[in-house]
């Protein structure tokens, strides 16, 4: 079975929420071996963690409205002083040092998943 990509004009909901057209739902159910969505849910979600009442949600926002709401929420953040290390000392760290040593992930991340280099990075930073 080949699945064609969603058209470029698809809405946000069409791009980000699973199968909603009956043909898509039927193809999905056939692929996983179930006759109905309820049968699939019964198999996949244990009854003891299901909620009996529907969620009370506000009406969905458009993509533009959602981004505007996120911007309003982000505007409530306030910048705080970084307190790196064991204690806080009111000193000035030159931006070049802060950016190239303290904020550079190369000093404290692994370049391979099995060989962490944090101690080597700290040693080189010192």
């Amino acid at each position: 079975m080949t699945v064609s990509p969603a058209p470029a004009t698809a809405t946000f909901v069409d791009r980000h929420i699973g199968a909603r057209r009956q043909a898509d739902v039927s193809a999905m159910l056939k692929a996983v071996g179930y006759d109905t969505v309820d049968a699939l849910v019964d198999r996949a979600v244990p009854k003891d963690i299901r909620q009996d009442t529907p969620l009370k949600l506000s009406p969905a926002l458009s993509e533009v409205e959602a981004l505007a709401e996120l911007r309003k929420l982000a505007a409530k953040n306030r910048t705080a002083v970084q307190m790196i290390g064991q204690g806080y000392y009111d000193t000035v760290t030159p931006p070049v040092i802060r950016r190239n040593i303290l904020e550079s992930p190369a000093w404290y991340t692994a370049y391979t998943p099995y060989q962490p280099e944090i101690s080597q990075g700290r040693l080189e930073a010192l």
Side-chain angles (χ1 to χ4, degrees), residues 43-124:
R43 178 75 170 128
V45 182
K47 290 194 185 301
D48 58 334
I49 67 167
R50 294 187 198 175
Q51 183 173 331
D52 295 330
T53 58
L55 293 174
K56 294 177 183 171
L57 300 174
S58 303
L61 301 175
S62 70
E63 189 170 0
V64 172
E65 292 168 330
L67 288 172
E69 286 297 317
L70 288 171
R71 283 190 190 95
K72 273 197 254 180
L73 183 62
K76 293 180 182 180
N77 290 339
R78 62 184 177 92
T79 304
V81 175
Q82 288 281 352
M83 296 189 189
I84 299 173
Q86 295 292 320
Y88 172 69
Y89 304 94
D90 191 19
T91 59
V92 175
T93 304
V96 67
I97 300 295
R98 191 173 61 236
R99 175 67 194 120
N100 292 313
I101 295 186
L102 297 178
E103 296 174 357
S104 174
W107 295 110
Y108 56 83
T109 59
Y111 64 87
T112 59
Y114 54 86
Q115 188 176 8
E117 297 294 328
I118 191 164
S119 58
Q120 181 66 31
R122 286 180 180 159
L123 177 63
E124 291 179 29

Side-chain angles (χ1 to χ4, degrees), residues 4-69:
S4 58
T9 59
T11 65
F12 180 82
V13 171
D14 293 330
R15 293 193 318 265
H16 296 281
I17 296 181
R20 295 185 309 141
R21 293 183 313 152
Q22 188 55 47
D24 294 337
V25 172
S26 297
M28 174 192 70
L29 290 171
K30 183 178 178 186
V32 295
Y34 288 92
D35 295 326
T36 65
V37 173
D38 288 336
L40 174 61
V41 170
D42 286 341
R43 178 75 170 128
V45 182
K47 290 194 185 301
D48 58 334
I49 67 167
R50 294 187 198 175
Q51 183 173 331
D52 295 330
T53 58
L55 293 174
K56 294 177 183 171
L57 300 174
S58 303
L61 301 175
S62 70
E63 189 170 0
V64 172
E65 292 168 330
L67 288 172
E69 286 297 317

